[in-house]
Amino acid sequence: MANVIDDDDLQDDTWDDLPPEAFDALEQDALQSTQQHTVALRPVEVAQTYHTLPTLPSTSVRLSKDSFQQQQTQTFGNGFAEDDFSEVEEHVAKLEESRETERRQWNRPATYGQPGRAENGFGGMANPRGATITKMESKMQMDQPGHDMACKEAPIHDSTITNLQAQIQQLMREREELKQSLHQATSEVLAKTGEVKIVRANQAQHEKEWMRRMIAHEKQQEAQVAKAQAELAKTIHERNSLQTLNQFEKQDVREETLKQKQARRQQRDANLMTPKKNRLASYRDGFDDGEIMAMSPSRSGGRSRIGTPRLGGKRKRRGIDDSPVPMLQLSQTPRPVVDREESQQSIHEKLSARFHHDDRRYEFLQLMLSHRMSRNQPRTFEQLTKYCPPTKSEVSMASILLDEMSLVDSKDDTFIIDVCQIFLTQWSRCVEERYYPPIPYLMSLLISAMATDTSSKAPSLTDNLVRVAQLTAEVHIIPRHHCVPASEECIDIDVSACLKLLLVTALGCVHVQEAIRRFWRYMRFDFVSMLLYTKQRSEDVLLMLELLELGVLEDSFGPIAGGDEATQVTKEKNILDGMATLLLPVSATDRTIIERDQMVDIRLAVLHCLGVSCCSPHSGRAIARHPTLIARLVKIINDEMDALYSFRGDHSRCAEQVNLATRVLFQLVSTYPEDIDLQEKLSVISGGTHKHRVGLARLTFSQGLVLEAEIEDEVVEFARSMLDRVVTPEEGEALAAAFGV
């Protein structure tokens, strides 16, 4: 019979391959489908369900969580493939299409089995309790005729599809959980790997640092050994010299001793000669001849050796102290007896001291009268005879000076200071009368006079000298600042000479706190500020920067304002603005008379001045609070490191700029961290943060070879310390990897 199902068909390999969990799941699905719907499945529907579901892919079957994790563990590392459930989804779609088709057929009257049977059970038998159909009952129903066709037409229940979809969603959720677990585990592994790399990099860095220190220590030990060996060789040489000298001395002693022995031997040989006969013969009477006098001593050939004692044998009178009467008290003490030789010596010393004091003044006058501005020029006083002041056109400048110098009291100890005041007075008069030709000669005389004893002369000359020197230098400084030519009548004025004179005066006042403060009170802010721009000559700018190094005081920097503290702070900021301007590179459009190669000297002078200023808390805090100086220092470090690798002609000077700028930056960052907002300071230049990190990273990972040979080791340590403050360990690891460390 065609509709009879063979028993062997029930023993399909598909059912045998199903795991027990899948088979139990199918039974549970069948049980739920019969309990949740009012219309019971026909036997053919159950058979159709059991016959159709085993053909699904194994991924559509609900697996346990452990088996799914085992399957995903085998594919760990490759991710979860999206195609694992594609077959299930495709089959579900087919089932939904067939469900719609069968639903339309389900509404038509069906005649399965015998007529008159109820359609709510298997084979027409009702199942009021909704019990689960056993495998034997299902097999018996499948043996009935027409079962094959019924199986083909039986529709699939909605609960089966719903359960399969629920299983798919459950598997998807489990897959997402496994993905999250995998992502978390991967993150932990990456974190651990990064930590291990950081530890290894730090260990490698420490090893390199240790090797570097060991090499430096070995070099230091070698230098110490070489020094000790040199000292040892020197000591051995001195010992040999002393031994040689000692041998010579011994030889001299031996020769001298030999000479003395020979002299004594000769004297002894001379004493052994036959003595001469005395003219006086003894009386041979048993008495000493000295006790017997000759009858006529004048006629005798000699006199007795022992004569009658004279005054020495008289009896002496007792002293006054032996008198019982007390000694009288005199009204005047007797004058001490002065030796005549001692008095003459004292007079000689006083006269010599006086003559020496007077000779020094005469030497000073001789120095002034024979002074020359240069070796090939005539004497200065001869040159001054050619110039006559406008107010005294009949008298030459030399005659005026000599007349006033002759009136100075030579007994006064301030002779040299008075002469210098004469020079200053004539200089000031020439400036007021705008008579400039004799001023260079007066300045030269004044510098020579102060050079004899600057420390004692400068404090007394500060008031007039500082004022007159600034007024004289302004005849060129102001026109240069406004980019206009100076007057031809002041062509003989040398600004550098005025600044040198101011520098000598400041050096003479620096040892006295009150004197140096008085010097800077007379210095004007506008005069100092105008000399801190590239419109001036490079020599003048360098002299002003050198002069500013002497203006670093406890509570001020540069000129001292007479007003309140706010005015002083504003003036100091203006001076720092000028110094910051000098740190900028000179562009082709700048109106300046300074060459580009001269700017390197100016930069070095500015950096040196900033380094000196950082030593004072007042000026160091002013530099730290300045809005642009920190950024300019960072730009110099970055730009000069670029120039360092280009190996230009001024390679050593680039390294010197890097060393000075790094020292100043480290001093500011480490001493005044509360006054420095690094991000705000670096924002004033383009890419400030990038330049800061790159410049410090280059210094930090510098090996000190070839192009980096002139970078100091201490500067490398300063750069490493500053870089550690601004980067995280991960960023430091990235920088180290970028530099191949």
Side-chain angles (χ1 to χ4, degrees):
M1 296 176 64
N3 294 330
V4 177
I5 300 174
D6 190 43
D7 294 337
D8 295 334
D9 295 335
L10 297 175
Q11 303 297 328
D12 192 13
D13 294 336
T14 305
W15 293 95
D16 295 338
D17 295 335
L18 285 176
E21 295 83 356
F23 196 82
D24 294 339
L26 292 176
E27 289 184 352
Q28 292 295 330
D29 293 339
L31 177 61
Q32 292 177 2
S33 63
T34 55
Q35 291 180 353
Q36 292 178 0
H37 298 276
T38 56
V39 181
L41 292 175
R42 298 179 179 87
V44 293
E45 294 176 352
V46 176
Q48 180 67 23
T49 302
Y50 276 84
H51 182 74
T52 306
L53 287 179
T55 61
L56 294 174
S58 58
T59 55
S60 64
V61 183
R62 181 180 180 182
L63 303 178
S64 64
K65 186 175 182 181
D66 296 336
S67 62
F68 182 78
Q69 291 180 352
Q70 182 178 4
Q71 180 182 359
Q72 297 301 326
T73 303
Q74 295 176 0
T75 61
F76 181 77
N78 297 328
F80 293 94
E82 296 293 338
D83 297 335
D84 294 344
F85 297 93
S86 58
E87 297 180 1
V88 175
E89 295 176 354
E90 182 180 357
H91 189 73
V92 168
K94 293 180 179 180
L95 289 178
E96 290 179 353
E97 294 177 359
S98 61
R99 183 187 61 181
E100 295 296 333
T101 305
E102 295 297 335
R103 182 177 298 175
R104 291 191 297 268
Q105 297 177 359
W106 182 264
N107 294 329
R108 293 180 300 177
T111 56
Y112 299 107
Q114 298 178 0
R117 287 195 176 189
E119 297 293 333
N120 57 352
F122 292 96
M125 298 178 65
N127 189 5
R129 297 181 180 179
T132 305
I133 302 175
T134 60
K135 296 180 179 180
M136 184 61 69
E137 291 175 349
S138 300
K139 185 176 181 181
M140 292 174 63
Q141 293 293 334
M142 284 185 292
D143 292 336
Q144 294 179 2
H147 178 70
D148 189 9
M149 184 177 295
C151 290
K152 293 181 181 179
E153 297 178 358
I156 297 177
H157 203 272
D158 293 341
S159 62
T160 303
I161 299 173
T162 304
N163 291 335
L164 290 176
Q165 293 178 350
Q167 292 176 10
I168 292 171
Q169 293 177 358
Q170 180 67 21
L171 292 176
M172 293 293 289
R173 286 193 297 270
E174 292 178 359
R175 186 184 70 170
E176 293 297 329
E177 292 177 358
L178 290 176
K179 279 186 177 181
Q180 293 178 359
S181 300
L182 177 62
H183 180 70
Q184 183 177 2
T186 305
S187 301
E188 292 178 356
V189 170
L190 291 176
K192 295 295 182 181
T193 304
E195 292 176 358
V196 170
K197 288 183 178 180
I198 292 173
V199 171
R200 290 178 179 176
N202 292 335
Q203 182 180 3
Q205 186 67 24
H206 289 319
E207 290 179 356
K208 289 184 178 180
E209 183 66 21
W210 180 81
M211 289 297 295
R212 185 173 185 175
R213 291 182 179 178
M214 287 297 297
I215 293 173
H217 184 65
E218 290 177 357
K219 290 182 180 179
Q220 184 178 4
Q221 285 185 345
E222 291 177 358
Q224 292 178 356
V225 169
K227 183 178 180 181
Q229 290 178 354
E231 292 179 354
L232 179 60
K234 182 179 179 181
T235 305
I236 293 173
H237 179 70
E238 292 178 354
R239 185 190 64 180
N240 295 334
S241 300
L242 291 175
Q243 288 179 355
T244 305
L245 182 61
N246 189 16
Q247 291 177 1
F248 279 110
E249 294 292 339
K250 288 181 179 180
Q251 182 65 25
D252 294 340
V253 170
R254 285 195 297 267
E255 292 178 356
E256 188 66 26
T257 304
L258 183 60
K259 289 180 180 180
Q260 292 179 1
K261 287 181 179 180
Q262 290 177 358
R264 286 196 298 268
R265 187 180 297 111
Q266 291 176 1
Q267 186 178 2
R268 188 172 60 251
D269 294 341
N271 293 333
L272 293 177
M273 295 176 63
T274 304
K276 295 181 179 180
K277 184 178 180 180
N278 293 332
R279 295 181 179 179
L280 294 177
S282 60
Y283 291 98
R284 309 299 183 186
D285 55 359
F287 296 95
D288 292 336
D289 295 339
E291 297 177 358
I292 302 173
M293 291 182 61
M295 294 301 294
S296 178
S298 61
R299 295 181 179 179
S300 62
R303 292 181 180 271
S304 177
R305 294 182 181 177
I306 302 176
T308 303
R310 296 183 179 182
L311 297 177
K314 290 184 179 181
R315 188 175 183 180
K316 294 182 179 180
R317 184 179 297 178
R318 293 183 179 181
I320 302 176
D321 295 338
D322 296 336
S323 176
V325 181
M327 184 174 60
L328 295 176
Q329 299 292 333
L330 300 177
S331 60
Q332 294 181 355
T333 57
R335 294 181 179 179
V337 179
V338 180
D339 191 1
R340 189 171 183 178
E341 295 181 358
E342 293 181 358
S343 62
Q344 291 179 355
Q345 184 178 2
S346 177
I347 294 172
H348 179 70
E349 290 178 355
K350 292 180 180 179
L351 290 174
S352 298
R354 182 176 180 84
F355 288 144
H356 178 71
H357 183 70
D358 292 341
D359 289 344
R360 184 180 180 185
R361 297 181 183 182
Y362 295 146
E363 290 176 359
F364 173 74
L365 287 176
Q366 184 180 3
L367 177 64
M368 292 294 100
L369 294 175
S370 61
H371 177 267
R372 302 171 187 266
M373 290 188 66
S374 63
R375 181 176 299 179
N376 299 327
Q377 290 185 359
R379 290 182 176 87
T380 303
F381 274 87
E382 293 180 7
Q383 295 287 345
L384 290 175
T385 57
K386 303 176 183 178
Y387 304 103
C388 299
T391 57
K392 295 181 179 180
S393 58
E394 70 279 358
V395 183
S396 66
M397 184 65 67
S399 299
I400 295 174
L401 294 177
L402 292 175
D403 291 342
E404 294 184 0
M405 290 170 62
S406 63
L407 299 177
V408 177
D409 188 5
S410 61
K411 296 180 180 180
D412 194 0
D413 294 335
T414 61
F415 176 77
I416 300 178
I417 296 177
D418 293 340
V419 174
C420 292
Q421 290 289 358
I422 293 173
F423 296 153
L424 278 174
T425 302
Q426 296 302 321
W427 182 7
S428 177
R429 185 176 300 171
C430 291
V431 173
E432 293 174 358
E433 297 176 358
R434 301 182 65 85
Y435 185 59
Y436 300 113
I439 289 180
Y441 300 101
L442 295 173
M443 292 173 56
S444 181
L445 285 172
L446 188 59
I447 292 175
S448 298
M450 293 181 61
T452 57
D453 191 2
T454 306
S455 60
S456 61
K457 309 299 185 300
S460 302
L461 303 173
T462 300
D463 303 349
N464 294 331
L465 192 148
V466 175
R467 179 183 61 84
V468 176
Q470 293 181 93
L471 291 175
T472 305
E474 282 180 348
V475 298
H476 284 293
I477 293 176
I478 294 177
R480 290 174 186 170
H481 186 72
H482 295 289
C483 300
V484 296
S487 176
E488 294 183 358
E489 61 182 3
C490 58
I491 193 173
D492 296 326
I493 300 299
D494 187 3
V495 179
S496 299
C498 297
L499 294 176
K500 288 178 182 178
L501 187 57
L502 290 174
L503 182 60
V504 170
T505 307
L507 289 173
C509 298
V510 73
H511 65 285
V512 181
Q513 188 69 17
E514 183 60 30
I516 191 64
R517 292 182 67 86
R518 188 169 67 253
F519 174 86
W520 285 106
R521 286 194 189 99
Y522 283 98
M523 290 292 295
R524 303 198 314 271
F525 279 99
D526 56 345
F527 179 79
V528 176
S529 299
M530 285 188 295
L531 283 170
L532 295 178
Y533 288 92
T534 56
K535 299 176 183 178
Q536 307 294 333
R537 296 171 64 245
S538 61
E539 295 83 358
D540 302 338
V541 177
L542 291 174
L543 286 171
M544 178 51 65
L545 291 172
E546 189 175 356
L547 185 61
L548 280 175
E549 293 180 9
L550 303 176
V552 180
L553 304 179
E554 295 180 358
D555 55 350
S556 64
F557 172 65
I560 300 176
D564 54 356
E565 185 178 357
T567 304
Q568 178 70 25
V569 172
T570 303
K571 300 295 185 181
E572 291 176 355
K573 182 179 179 298
N574 294 335
I575 293 177
L576 293 176
D577 289 340
M579 297 175 67
T581 304
L582 295 176
L583 295 177
L584 290 174
V586 179
S587 61
T589 60
D590 292 341
R591 301 180 64 181
T592 176
I593 61 175
I594 301 178
E595 300 294 336
R596 293 190 178 184
D597 54 349
Q598 295 175 346
M599 284 302 300
V600 178
D601 297 331
I602 295 177
R603 280 189 183 181
L604 292 174
V606 172
L607 293 175
H608 192 272
C609 184
L610 291 176
V612 174
S613 302
C614 291
C615 299
S616 174
H618 177 82
S619 56
R621 189 168 287 107
I623 295 173
R625 293 175 180 175
H626 194 269
T628 60
L629 271 176
I630 301 294
R632 300 285 165 78
L633 292 174
V634 171
K635 182 175 176 57
I636 286 178
I637 294 174
N638 184 72
D639 294 347
E640 295 305 319
M641 287 298 295
D642 291 339
L644 195 67
Y645 295 130
S646 63
F647 198 73
R648 299 185 309 191
D650 53 351
H651 180 268
S652 59
R653 306 183 74 183
C654 293
E656 187 177 359
Q657 292 184 67
V658 172
N659 292 332
L660 284 176
T662 306
R663 288 180 180 275
V664 174
L665 183 61
F666 177 77
Q667 182 71 15
L668 293 173
V669 173
S670 60
T671 308
Y672 313 103
E674 67 279 359
D675 297 322
I676 298 178
D677 185 0
L678 198 57
Q679 297 297 328
E680 180 181 357
K681 301 292 185 183
L682 296 177
S683 62
V684 299
I685 59 175
S686 178
T689 304
H690 173 75
K691 293 180 179 179
H692 177 258
R693 296 191 179 184
V694 171
L696 293 182
R698 285 178 171 179
L699 286 174
T700 300
F701 300 106
S702 173
Q703 300 296 328
L705 301 175
V706 191
L707 299 178
E708 302 170 348
E710 298 186 19
I711 300 296
E712 300 175 0
D713 295 338
E714 191 175 6
V715 171
V716 175
E717 295 297 331
F718 291 161
R720 179 178 291 108
S721 177
M722 289 188 288
L723 187 63
D724 291 340
R725 299 182 183 184
V726 297
V727 298
T728 61
E730 292 79 8
E731 293 175 345
E733 184 69 21
L735 289 174
F739 283 90
V741 178

